[in-house]
Amino acid sequence: VLYVSDCYISDDWGVAAIAIANIITARETGLPLGILVNRYKAEMLTGFLKIEGNALGKTGKIYLMNKEKALLTVPRVYPVKTNEVILKERIEMLPAFIAQTGQPQLLGVYRDFLGKAVFGAVMLMELTDWIVVAEQGMDEIFAPLHQLTLQMIIIGLVSVFIFVFLSFLISFLHHKVEVKAIQLEEMKNNMFQDSKMAAMGQMASSVADEINNPLTGVLNNIQLFKMMAQGKEGTRVSEINS
């Protein structure tokens, strides 16, 4: 059986210390032979909690306080880091009022001794009635969420840019297609007009040929009649002279 004392100021050391005692019994009879007491400086607890606190990131800290809300260890990033803090500094904080059982309890969000928003948890050590407090800054806790939010914002902005670019590109291509369609329609109309003019020219040429052929025959006949008329008149003149 172990007995652990509360922290106290050692007269000979002049610093905070704790005592751990256990009863020494005889092997054969089991009767108590005496009490073995070991004393430790409270710095031992600070070193242990610092090692444990590394898992809480850059802003995390673990520290001890007793039921009277007096600090038993110096929290990391505490403004005053001397041995005079132990058992002399009291923290009027939420954890001292919440820890009532030996089970870990989440405190949620509150302000620590620096006035910063932290997320904390507490546990009461029933053997010594010490309160273990673990805290971590809200900025560090929500840093992954902030990074994810930033990434989502960047992805959203890139998506909007791509959407706007594609919309502009589609609109530009649609305009080009419309212009080409109009040009093709104009070319089609021009070709249709040219084909009509060519057809009319061909028809006029055919009609002219059809008209020209009879006219040529008529002109030839007129010329022949003229020649014949001139020949007869010449014969009459010669006959008169003779």
Side-chain angles (χ1 to χ4, degrees):
V1 179
L2 291 178
Y3 298 91
V4 182
S5 70
D6 198 352
C7 280
Y8 64 96
I9 302 298
S10 173
D11 294 333
D12 52 351
W13 289 346
V15 295
I18 59 173
I20 300 176
N22 65 304
I23 299 175
I24 301 176
T25 58
R27 291 183 178 179
E28 296 179 356
T29 61
L31 296 175
L33 299 177
I35 299 175
L36 177 64
V37 179
N38 293 316
R39 294 192 304 160
Y40 302 92
K41 293 181 179 180
E43 296 175 355
M44 176 267 296
L45 297 176
T46 303
F48 172 75
L49 293 179
K50 279 185 177 180
I51 295 174
E52 293 295 321
N54 289 337
L56 295 179
K58 295 180 179 180
T59 61
K61 52 188 178 291
I62 299 179
Y63 55 95
L64 293 175
M65 64 173 61
N66 59 17
K67 283 280 190 166
E68 287 73 33
K69 296 175 284 185
L71 286 175
L72 304 182
T73 61
V74 182
R76 189 169 67 171
V77 304
Y78 195 70
V80 181
K81 292 188 176 182
T82 64
N83 289 331
E84 296 178 357
V85 173
I86 299 177
L87 292 178
K88 297 181 180 180
E89 288 285 342
R90 283 177 167 76
I91 298 181
E92 300 292 338
M93 290 173 51
L94 180 65
F97 300 97
I98 297 298
Q100 300 295 331
T101 66
Q103 299 297 324
Q105 303 174 60
L106 294 177
L107 301 181
V109 181
Y110 61 93
R111 298 284 177 177
D112 65 356
F113 48 79
L114 295 177
K116 295 182 178 181
V118 296
F119 188 88
V122 296
M123 184 180 70
L124 178 67
M125 300 176 64
E126 295 179 347
L127 182 63
T128 58
D129 284 341
W130 293 344
I131 300 172
V132 182
V133 183
E135 299 171 339
Q136 188 172 18
M138 294 298 296
D139 293 339
E140 188 172 9
I141 290 176
F142 287 101
L145 180 60
H146 293 161
Q147 293 178 358
L148 179 61
T149 303
L150 180 60
Q151 292 176 358
M152 294 297 293
I153 292 174
I154 293 174
I155 292 173
L157 292 176
V158 172
S159 300
V160 171
F161 174 77
I162 293 175
F163 176 77
V164 172
F165 175 75
L166 290 177
S167 299
F168 175 79
L169 181 61
I170 292 172
S171 177
F172 176 75
L173 293 177
H174 181 68
H175 176 70
K176 295 290 287 183
V177 169
E178 287 183 347
V179 171
K180 288 294 183 182
I182 294 173
Q183 292 177 352
L184 290 174
E185 187 66 24
E186 291 178 353
M187 292 176 61
K188 178 181 177 181
N189 293 332
N190 293 333
M191 291 178 64
F192 180 71
Q193 294 295 332
D194 293 341
S195 63
K196 287 198 300 183
M197 294 298 294
M200 291 179 64
Q202 185 177 4
M203 183 177 64
S205 177
S206 299
V207 171
D209 288 340
E210 293 295 330
I211 296 175
N212 190 36
N213 290 334
L215 289 178
T216 301
V218 172
L219 290 175
N220 291 334
N221 291 329
I222 293 173
Q223 188 68 24
L224 180 60
F225 292 150
K226 183 179 180 181
M227 291 176 62
M228 290 175 62
Q230 289 178 352
K232 290 180 178 181
E233 290 179 357
T235 303
R236 289 178 181 175
V237 171
S238 61
E239 289 178 355
I240 294 171
N241 291 332
S242 58

